[in-house]
């Protein structure tokens, strides 16, 4: 397994639990929109088996508009501080350099930017000087209109090529290559068939030589797979399907999976590890 500076080392795929401090997250719909409740939620995720907790204050669901920076800081920083004070390994899910900077000062040890540094030109320099691991996700633009960008000839080849280019740009910007984590960006400018192809080809991303984070949790493509008579189950009813993807991603070599409901995925990554060891 890969080692990333400042993070513990796990002998299997790590489980990243999600705390969305937003009133409108598509999957956990504002239930943790309060510092105390959000910190408690993060601690509960750790008890359920999360290895790290990803704290975000801006919804990226398709069609979502942006939250302003002051509001994002107000949502995220106290939760990062509260969880870090409890000894939790915290990552911050943000597209803003200021939020990343302040979150690192508050104890976050990883910056997870769904735009891979594209949304804020100050992000790459900020992470370069913070010297923390940085998640570079495949991204083609903001959520407001990303669905129109879900056009691919060879989705796996194009996502790998675009991630490679983005990784090179981030390294040119001063972030050490050994601090980079890559992510195929399931659901971001992707249709269900694209997401499924990317999961099926998880192993191909090893060609990029960096750890891979896979975030399938509760996403639309799972709703599509599970739909009955054209009706998709609600986001919160997609956790068993999420755990199934966690097992596949772990078995196919993912470094970590990012999920809202941790317990089933914590089991899934252990099963994947045991099966891999028996191969
Ligand atoms: N997806 C969401 C938010 N953050 N971060 C990474 N690295 N990869 C993702 O695919 C990703 C992410 C959107 O989902 P949420 O609202 O359910 O958290």
């Amino acid at each position: 397994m890969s080692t990333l500076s400042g993070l513990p080392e796990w002998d299997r795929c790590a489980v990243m639990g999600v705390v969305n401090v937003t009133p409108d997250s598509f999957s956990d719909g504002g239930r943790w929109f309060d510092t105390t409740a959000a910190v408690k939620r993060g601690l509960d995720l750790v008890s359920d088996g999360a290895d790290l907790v990803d704290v975000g204050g801006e919804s990226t669901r398709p069609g979502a508009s942006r939250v302003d920076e002051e509001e994002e800081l107000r949502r995220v920083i106290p939760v990062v501080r509260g969880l870090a004070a409890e000894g939790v390994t915290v990552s911050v899910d943000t597209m803003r350099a200021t939020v990343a900077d302040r979150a690192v000062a508050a104890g976050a040890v990883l910056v997870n930017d769904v735009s891979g540094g594209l949304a804020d030109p100050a992000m790459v320099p900020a992470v370069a000087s913070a010297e923390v691991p940085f998640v570079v996700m495949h991204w083609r633009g903001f959520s407001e209109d990303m669905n129109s960008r879900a056009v691919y000839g060879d989705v796996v080849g194009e996502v790998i090529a675009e991630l490679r280019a983005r990784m090179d740009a981030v390294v040119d910007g001063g972030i050490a290559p050994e601090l980079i984590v890559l992510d195929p960006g399931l659901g971001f400018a992707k249709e269900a068939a694209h997401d499924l192809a990317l999961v099926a080809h998880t192993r191909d991303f090893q060609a990029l030589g960096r750890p891979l984070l896979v975030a399938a949790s509760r996403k639309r493509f799972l709703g599509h797979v599970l739909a009955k008579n054209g009706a998709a189950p609600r986001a919160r009813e997609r956790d068993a399907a999420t755990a199934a993807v966690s097992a596949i991603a772990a078995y196919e070599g993912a470094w970590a999976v990012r999920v809202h409901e941790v317990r089933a995925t914590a089991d899934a990554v252990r099963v994947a590890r045991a099966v891999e060891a028996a191969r």
Side-chain angles (χ1 to χ4, degrees):
M1 283 287 145
S2 318
T3 51
L4 286 157
S5 162
L7 294 186
E9 205 176 325
W10 299 283
D11 68 346
R12 51 164 170 74
C13 177
V15 180
M16 174 187 275
V18 178
V19 174
N20 283 325
V21 199
T22 60
D24 63 345
S25 165
F26 81 89
S27 53
D28 44 18
R31 287 166 69 204
W32 318 114
F33 189 49
D34 164 278
T35 300
T36 313
V39 171
K40 179 174 183 314
R41 175 65 181 159
L43 294 174
D44 287 348
L45 292 175
V46 171
S47 321
D48 285 348
D51 299 300
L52 59 166
V53 172
D54 192 37
V55 179
E58 177 171 27
S59 173
T60 51
R61 82 188 140 70
S65 51
R66 300 211 64 192
V67 62
D68 71 47
E69 183 171 293
E70 280 311 307
E71 175 64 11
E72 191 184 346
L73 286 165
R74 197 189 64 71
R75 293 177 185 181
V76 164
I77 302 305
V79 179
V80 169
R81 188 175 296 117
L83 287 171
E86 296 285 341
V88 176
T89 302
V90 180
S91 77
V92 61
D93 184 347
T94 184
M95 291 186 270
R96 289 196 171 100
T98 304
V99 178
D101 257 343
R102 301 232 192 128
V104 170
V109 293
L110 179 147
V111 174
N112 172 25
D113 178 355
V114 298
S115 82
L118 284 167
D120 181 348
M123 180 62 96
V124 170
V127 174
S129 66
E131 296 182 1
V132 292
F134 185 52
V135 178
V136 173
M137 196 192 80
H138 177 260
W139 189 80
R140 285 184 166 181
F142 289 103
S143 299
E144 269 169 342
D145 56 358
M146 67 180 170
N147 289 348
S148 64
R149 299 196 183 87
V151 181
Y152 302 87
D154 160 18
V155 64
V156 176
E158 286 168 50
V159 169
I160 288 177
E162 288 171 34
L163 269 181
R164 191 189 300 279
R166 195 59 215 141
M167 177 165 65
D168 291 347
V170 158
V171 169
D172 281 349
I175 297 181
E178 60 273 16
L179 290 178
I180 295 174
V181 174
L182 299 173
D183 181 331
L186 300 176
F188 286 81
K190 319 262 180 343
E191 304 286 354
H194 300 137
D195 291 326
L196 288 167
L198 291 164
V199 172
H201 291 271
T202 299
R203 207 165 275 282
D204 294 13
F205 285 78
Q206 288 181 0
L208 294 167
R210 297 303 311 147
L212 193 74
L213 172 64
V214 174
S217 191
R218 299 179 174 176
K219 284 188 175 163
R220 273 171 306 157
F221 79 102
L222 296 176
H224 190 88
V225 168
L226 300 175
K228 290 195 186 98
N229 303 320
R234 287 178 310 160
R236 255 176 258 158
E237 285 153 11
R238 301 175 193 165
D239 288 329
T242 298
V245 179
S246 296
I248 295 167
Y251 189 72
E252 295 296 330
W255 166 73
V257 285
R258 177 186 181 278
V259 295
H260 301 88
E261 196 283 313
V262 161
R263 206 169 290 186
T265 278
D267 288 352
V269 297
R270 283 165 177 79
V271 170
R273 176 79 187 94
V275 172
E276 193 194 343
R279 193 153 48 193

